[in-house]
């Protein structure tokens, strides 16, 4: 993530006030993934909309999880609402 953050420094001014969401999938524990994404969004002045996290031990396990699917649908709706509100 640090490499990503460093490489996006030149575009940070263009990210201000844009909505952002976090999605993290891990085998054992999410750890700092979401916290790091929130820090990045704060540094760039982006608006944190929400997050979805999932634990998966095998490939495609998270994509088959109905609860994860429902959480992603809800998060997507929140993001769309945020984008529409920004246009108005």
């Amino acid at each position: 993530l640090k490499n990503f953050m460093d490489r996006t420094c030149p575009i940070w001014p263009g990210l201000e006030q844009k909505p952002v969401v976090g999605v993290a999938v891990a085998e054992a524990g999410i750890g700092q993934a979401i916290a790091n994404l929130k820090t990045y969004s704060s540094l760039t002045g982006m608006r944190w909309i929400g997050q979805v996290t999932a634990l998966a031990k095998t490939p495609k396990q998270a994509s088959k999880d109905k609860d994860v699917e429902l959480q992603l649908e809800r998060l997507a709706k929140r993001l769309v609402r945020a984008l529409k509100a920004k246009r108005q």
Side-chain angles (χ1 to χ4, degrees):
L1 185 60
K2 168 119 174 47
N3 189 23
F4 171 78
M5 291 171 71
D6 290 344
R7 289 178 180 262
T8 59
C9 281
I11 64 166
W12 282 14
L15 299 176
E16 193 169 352
Q17 291 303 311
K18 293 202 183 278
V20 64
V21 299
V23 177
V25 179
E27 188 175 314
I30 299 302
Q32 285 294 112
I34 293 295
N36 291 342
L37 291 171
K38 284 182 176 180
T39 299
Y40 176 76
S41 67
S42 177
L43 288 171
T44 59
M46 298 175 83
R47 295 180 300 128
W48 186 260
I49 302 299
Q51 68 205 37
V52 172
T53 60
L55 296 178
K57 299 230 182 247
T58 60
K60 299 185 182 180
Q61 182 180 353
S63 67
K64 295 175 184 175
D65 186 325
K66 293 297 179 189
D67 183 53
V68 171
E69 182 179 346
L70 181 61
Q71 289 180 57
L72 287 168
E73 287 175 3
R74 288 180 183 154
L75 184 60
K77 288 177 183 176
R78 289 174 59 193
L79 181 57
V80 168
R81 281 194 302 271
L83 290 167
K84 285 182 179 178
K86 181 158 174 82
R87 288 187 205 155
Q88 296 175 357

